[in-house]
Structures are given as structure tokens and as C-alpha cells.
Amino acid sequence: MTSLYTEKSVIGRLLTIFSSLFPSATRPTRHLLAWLLTAQLALESVPSVRCLFRQFLSKQTDASLNSYYRALGNGLVTDASIRQALALRALAIVPEALRQEPILLSVDDTSIAKWGKHFDGVGILYDHAKHDGKFYFNGHAFVSLTMSVPVLHETAGKQQIRYIAVPIGYVMSNGEASKLTLACQLLDEVMPILEKRQVILLFDSWYAKRELISRALSYPNLNVICYARRDTAIFELPTSTAGRRGRPPKYGRRLKLDEIPVAPENYPYKMDGYLVSHQLVKTHIFGDRTVHAYVTLSKSGSRRLFFSTVDPMALHMSTAWQESKTLRDTSSKLMTFYPLKLYKLRWGIETNCYEQKMFWELGSYKVRTKTAIEHLLNLTNAGHALMKILPYEDEKLSTCQDKRPQELRHALSRQIYKEVFFATLVSKAQSNINSSALLKALQALAWGDSQAA
């Protein structure tokens, strides 16, 4: 039956696109994993590999269920190659006119609750949000990476720059390596691809530690904007010691957070209801580098601390053409505060994790080994990422640029079932027509439409 899907059909094009994500695997393995991703789109869910096989794969391919399990556990299918392939596809949708615009990377971690005790790497985790009403739960922790790339989007007849947050992938944290080490691993995978780009790394206060910061700053084209703990040690710039004996000091006087003035008369800048102040400082986690410190003050009087190594005056960014009003509304006098606006784009990684858990059933996996779990999560992530990339890559899908990834998946799912029906009809019509087989094909089409609805 697979021979009936031509390269011009939706299924044929999807199989070609999905197969390109596994360059190091053998051809049969690439074929199986591509069909697995196609089944995820067709069913619009990932309840389990067994369910995908029973409901879709067994009717389209001759491979057994164990073949798909072996493909997921195949050592030649590296998650790093999947993540790098997604990064390359995300960069490919950036127009030539926007090659000098910054690429934004975001690092964060997420957790998935599991009832079973026999999964590799499962353990008791802390949940600060108390999603289940408790602080601790049994499950897995993952470190994720998102790449935000600029594209041209037409709004009211005017071309503007929109940033698309493309999820790159996940790495499981099972206690063998810290989350900081895994974040460095993800960074090392994509930075060779971004060697000639202007790159900015965004992360929250948990990752604002020397291990990740020093690795990030080892790349000459990479800058950092991060939220930091409010008790982080910050110092004034050292004063000149010319004419005095001894080694010059590395740091000046230590500052307290409330010593950086935040008042309208001192810094007449307000963002999202917060007063913002700025000062050049030194801090231990950035070593000898001078960084920009931003302190925000809320109406309740709470302060937050942010650091940036981005020189606002040296930032190559077309601010006037940004689609986001926050990024577009600025002036040369207020460019000092622009890195704090860029930090807001980190929210894209939170949105991706939410969508994948709510609409892509990211946590429904039932495989047990660490390799298979990471493969399945990265495959689900790849399907979600491609739904964000394809509207800017394929002109036939350009009308879906303003739609959510779930809406595009729904449209593709309906088209997949229509092609499955016609392929079944053709295969049965080549011999004596079997009315019961055609009836089953019609039932499958009707079932597919009801599922899509």
C-alpha cells in the first residue's frame, strides 16, 4: 500500500520531510520512524506506540509492532541529529534579508508525572507550582531548548518581522548529569550551526550559574540575557588605582538590590507596569566581564534582577520593523533597556511545553528505557516543530501562518485519511472488487473524519 503514495501526495511529502530528520539511521529505520510521525499527525495524539500501530500503522505498512519498538531503541538514531536537523530547518526559513537579525535560544526544564516505578530515570521530583496539589511527585525531568528565528510576515499589507519559537528537543535528566551540564550539551549541539549568526541565550534564575554562563560566553558570537536570584552578589565597577601599590581590585563596592535606584525621577522608564533601572556591574557568575544589570520594581515593592551581556548600542536588530509592539516601540534614548524587552521572547519555550503537554500528549509515553523515551519525546517534539516551520517553508501551507500548530495538524490529519481511503480503494480495485473491503475503507474514512472533527 505504501507504493500508492506518490511524492506529490501529502503522505509522500510528509514521509520525505520526516525521513530527513534521521540522517544517521539506515533507510528501513528512517522509513519506520517517518511513518510513526505520520501516524501521530493522522490520529492527532500519541496515546502509545501500540495504539498508533493498531489504529493506523498496521493498515498502512507491513512492519510488525516490534519493528517500531526496535526503531525507537535504535542506537543509530541519535537525538542530537534530530535536534540539529530541526535547527537547520528552522534556520532555512529565515529570509536572506534577515540574516543579520539575532537568533534567540531559550533553555528551560520541564517535568512529566508518571505513575509507574519501572521507567528508567524515574524519581521523586519537586513541583513548585503544585499542579497536583502536592510539592513532590513521581516522574521524569527534561531539559529543553527552543530556537526563535525571525521571518517576514505580512500584516495589513505591510511586511513585518515575526519571531517563531521552534522547539528543538529534549534531554532527560536522570541524575547522572546535572541540568546545567545537559543545558551545555544542548548548546554545544546547535552553536556550530549558528557560527556566523548573532545569537542571544535566554534563561531563568535556576540556570544563572557559572557553569552554563562560562560555556555560553566561550562562543564569541553568543550573548546572554537572564533572570537572576535577587541575592546574587553584584559589585560596582572597580575604581582606578593608578599611583597606588598592589594589585588592582577586580570588584568595587558590593551593592544591595535596593541600592540601585528605581524611581521615576532617576530612570523615567516603565515596562509592563514595572519601573526599571539600569547599571553596569561586576558579578562572580560572569567572571571578569562587565555586565548590564536591570532591576525592576513592581507596585507592591518587590524587586527583580536581570543580567545582560548584550551591548544595546551594538545590537544589530531592525526594531522599527518588528511585529511585536513591545519590540517596535522604542527610541535611541531608551535602547539601554532593549535587552530586557528581548527577554520576554523567552516565554515561547513555556508556550511550547504547554502546547505539547496539552495537545500533543507529550507525557503519554509507555516505553521504559531512557533511549526510547528520549526518542519518542523528540519525535513528538519534531512533529510540533514542523507544524510551526512548514507554513513558512511550503507555499501551499502559507495560509496557516497565523494558525496554531494544532490547527495545521488537524487539517493534515483529514487530508491523510482521505489519501488513505483512495489508496485503499485503488488497491482493492486492481483485483476483483471486494465489497466488504471497500466497506471497511469507507468506515475508516468516516472514522477519520469523526476523529478530525
Side-chain angles (χ1 to χ4, degrees):
M1 180 108 103
T2 58
S3 60
L4 296 175
Y5 302 118
T6 65
E7 293 183 357
K8 293 183 179 180
S9 66
V10 170
I11 293 179
R13 285 156 56 197
L14 288 175
L15 290 175
T16 301
I17 292 171
F18 293 151
S19 296
S20 67
L21 298 177
F22 320 108
S24 57
T26 61
R27 184 176 178 180
T29 301
R30 290 200 306 269
H31 185 72
L32 289 171
L33 294 177
W35 269 109
L36 199 62
L37 278 169
T38 305
Q40 290 183 12
L41 292 185
L43 296 182
E44 299 189 67
S45 63
V46 197
S48 67
V49 177
R50 184 182 296 274
C51 181
L52 293 177
F53 179 79
R54 287 177 175 175
Q55 300 293 341
F56 187 84
L57 294 171
S58 62
K59 302 176 179 63
Q60 306 306 317
T61 68
D62 297 327
S64 65
L65 175 61
N66 285 336
S67 298
Y68 291 99
Y69 281 123
R70 284 194 293 269
L72 282 174
N74 194 319
L76 294 177
V77 182
T78 63
D79 295 301
S81 64
I82 298 175
R83 292 188 286 265
Q84 289 171 342
L86 282 176
L88 287 170
R89 293 194 84 95
L91 281 179
I93 66 174
V94 179
E96 188 65 34
L98 304 182
R99 294 290 178 176
Q100 300 302 318
E101 298 293 313
I103 303 294
L104 304 176
L105 299 176
S106 302
V107 172
D108 200 5
D109 56 86
T110 189
S111 55
I112 296 175
K114 303 299 290 186
W115 291 103
K117 300 288 186 179
H118 299 285
F119 295 96
D120 285 355
V122 75
I124 303 299
L125 304 174
Y126 179 76
D127 182 13
H128 63 86
K130 295 197 299 184
H131 290 98
D132 296 329
K134 300 178 182 179
F135 278 114
Y136 296 94
F137 66 95
N138 186 72
H140 286 127
F142 300 90
V143 180
S144 62
L145 179 71
T146 288
M147 178 187 295
S148 298
V149 296
V151 296
L152 286 175
H153 181 73
E154 187 171 336
T155 305
K158 183 180 179 181
Q159 291 282 346
Q160 292 182 320
I161 300 174
R162 168 186 290 182
Y163 271 89
I164 305 298
V166 179
I168 300 302
Y170 293 89
V171 179
M172 181 191 289
S173 173
N174 60 354
E176 297 178 0
S178 69
K179 293 180 182 177
L180 290 170
T181 303
L182 297 178
C184 292
Q185 174 188 329
L186 291 172
L187 193 63
D188 291 339
E189 288 175 1
V190 299
M191 280 309 296
I193 301 171
L194 303 170
E195 184 179 4
K196 298 181 180 180
R197 304 287 184 138
Q198 180 186 190
V199 188
I200 300 174
L201 178 64
L202 312 174
F203 49 84
D204 61 18
S205 59
W206 197 94
Y207 290 91
K209 297 178 177 64
R210 182 174 292 184
E211 180 179 351
L212 177 58
I213 291 174
S214 60
R215 180 68 64 88
L217 297 181
S218 65
Y219 295 98
N221 61 324
L222 180 61
N223 279 294
V224 168
I225 304 174
C226 67
Y227 173 43
R229 289 170 53 106
R230 64 190 315 273
D231 59 353
T232 302
I234 52 178
F235 304 87
E236 292 181 339
L237 300 183
T239 57
S240 175
T241 58
R244 283 184 278 175
R245 299 174 63 183
R247 182 173 63 87
K250 293 177 62 176
Y251 306 100
R253 181 179 67 89
R254 180 165 181 173
L255 292 170
K256 294 182 179 179
L257 204 60
D258 55 5
E259 290 180 344
I260 299 179
V262 183
E265 60 271 16
N266 295 322
Y267 294 94
Y269 182 70
K270 196 173 185 179
M271 187 174 74
D272 297 337
Y274 291 86
L275 292 174
V276 185
S277 67
H278 164 263
Q279 185 169 332
L280 289 173
V281 299
K282 292 271 192 176
T283 181
H284 293 310
I285 58 177
F286 283 89
D288 296 332
R289 185 183 287 255
T290 299
V291 297
H292 298 262
Y294 299 91
V295 177
T296 64
L297 177 66
S298 66
K299 293 180 180 179
S300 63
S302 63
R303 286 176 165 82
R304 292 185 176 183
L305 176 63
F306 298 83
F307 291 124
S308 171
T309 62
V310 177
D311 183 359
M313 301 307 170
L315 180 65
H316 297 285
M317 192 167 184
S318 305
T319 57
W321 298 96
Q322 298 296 321
E323 182 186 46
S324 170
K325 189 175 184 297
T326 301
L327 298 178
R328 186 175 65 249
D329 292 347
T330 190
S331 63
S332 57
K333 294 181 180 179
L334 298 177
M335 276 300 294
T336 301
F337 301 96
Y338 204 79
L340 202 57
K341 292 185 175 186
L342 290 177
Y343 183 78
K344 296 181 69 175
L345 294 176
R346 194 197 73 86
W347 193 250
I349 193 172
E350 304 282 359
T351 304
N352 286 337
C353 288
Y354 171 79
E355 286 185 345
Q356 290 180 4
K357 289 181 179 180
M358 289 295 295
F359 306 112
W360 294 75
E361 299 186 6
L362 188 70
S364 64
Y365 55 87
K366 295 178 177 62
V367 289
R368 293 184 178 184
T369 65
K370 177 178 180 292
T371 301
I373 292 172
E374 285 189 331
H375 282 352
L376 197 55
L377 255 70
N378 280 292
L379 287 176
T380 304
N381 176 82
H384 180 242
L386 288 171
M387 293 303 101
K388 289 192 161 194
I389 294 173
L390 287 177
Y392 298 92
E393 192 176 66
D394 192 337
E395 292 184 2
K396 295 181 180 179
L397 299 175
S398 59
T399 55
C400 299
Q401 291 181 0
D402 289 324
K403 295 182 179 180
R404 305 303 302 173
Q406 296 75 241
E407 295 179 85
L408 177 56
R409 180 185 63 177
H410 175 73
L412 290 176
S413 173
R414 298 196 63 175
Q415 187 62 32
I416 288 172
Y417 271 106
K418 288 179 181 179
E419 292 187 358
V420 166
F421 166 72
F422 286 115
T424 304
L425 183 65
V426 170
S427 65
K428 298 303 178 183
Q430 288 176 351
S431 58
N432 293 329
I433 296 179
N434 189 326
S435 58
S436 62
L438 292 179
L439 181 60
K440 289 181 180 180
L442 288 170
Q443 290 174 342
L445 179 64
W447 182 83
D449 284 341
S450 64
Q451 286 291 103

